[in-house]
Amino acid sequence: MATKNLSEYNLEAVPDASNMIFGIVVAEWNPEITGALLDGCVSTLERHGALPENIHVKTVPGSFELIYGAHQMTLNDGYDAVIILGSVIRGETPHFDYICQGVTAGIARLNATSSIPVIYGLLTTNDLQQAKDRAGGRLGNKGDECAVVAIKMAKF
């Protein structure tokens, strides 16, 4: 359970993003959720000065493919940060565990080996309502949080 609203943050603590370029890789799986995450992420980047033409969005079929998409974006020297957005909802098989662990390990590896930050925006929830709560619902939007983290890490 999230202990705070994912969309609440100190506005003054976020650097100006007007000279930054962001790559966003978003999974097509669970589009109601990932679309909301993307909307939150883009609007927050723009709220902090990022120009629409400096926000590049690519889609991949599912959450596991976020690793490949993010890696390809890290190879482009033009990005200040890359953000991954996806949603994995627990089902009846261990597939959930394998995907969540694989994506987490893959993004951690990219962060350890890449020269730019890769921001982890994968929702891993037990049910659809939990995902909705974190994609613009009662707990805010993880996409907002990822945008703020990307801006801060790009200035690190």
Side-chain angles (χ1 to χ4, degrees), residues 2 6 15 61 64 72 79 89 124 132 139 142 146:
L6 297 165
F64 198 75
Q72 293 305 306
Y79 294 112
I89 299 171
T124 57
K132 288 179 179 179
L139 296 173
K142 181 74 172 175
C146 290

Side-chain angles (χ1 to χ4, degrees), residues 37-58:
L37 294 173
L38 178 62
D39 290 345
C41 186
V42 169
S43 66
T44 299
L45 290 172
E46 290 177 349
R47 184 176 319 112
H48 292 285
L51 301 173
E53 60 268 24
N54 289 340
I55 302 170
H56 305 163
V57 178
K58 298 284 187 180

Side-chain angles (χ1 to χ4, degrees), residues 30-146:
N30 294 324
E32 173 186 6
I33 302 303
T34 60
L37 294 173
L38 178 62
D39 290 345
C41 186
V42 169
S43 66
T44 299
L45 290 172
E46 290 177 349
R47 184 176 319 112
H48 292 285
L51 301 173
E53 60 268 24
N54 289 340
I55 302 170
H56 305 163
V57 178
K58 298 284 187 180
T59 61
V60 293
S63 291
F64 198 75
E65 292 77 26
L66 291 167
I67 303 164
Y68 177 83
H71 181 244
Q72 293 305 306
M73 284 191 161
T74 65
L75 298 175
N76 177 343
D77 292 334
Y79 294 112
D80 293 293
V82 173
I83 303 164
I84 64 120
L85 300 172
S87 173
V88 183
I89 299 171
R90 187 178 300 279
E92 297 176 359
T93 68
H95 179 75
F96 172 90
D97 298 314
Y98 298 128
I99 296 299
C100 295
Q101 290 172 5
V103 174
T104 300
I107 298 305
R109 186 181 70 250
L110 285 176
N111 271 307
T113 60
S114 173
S115 61
I116 61 170
V118 180
I119 310 308
Y120 185 88
L122 180 69
L123 291 181
T124 57
T125 59
N126 289 318
D127 56 47
L128 180 59
Q129 187 57 53
Q130 287 179 345
K132 288 179 179 179
D133 288 346
R134 290 157 178 80
R138 69 182 184 85
L139 296 173
N141 191 317
K142 181 74 172 175
D144 294 340
E145 181 184 61
C146 290

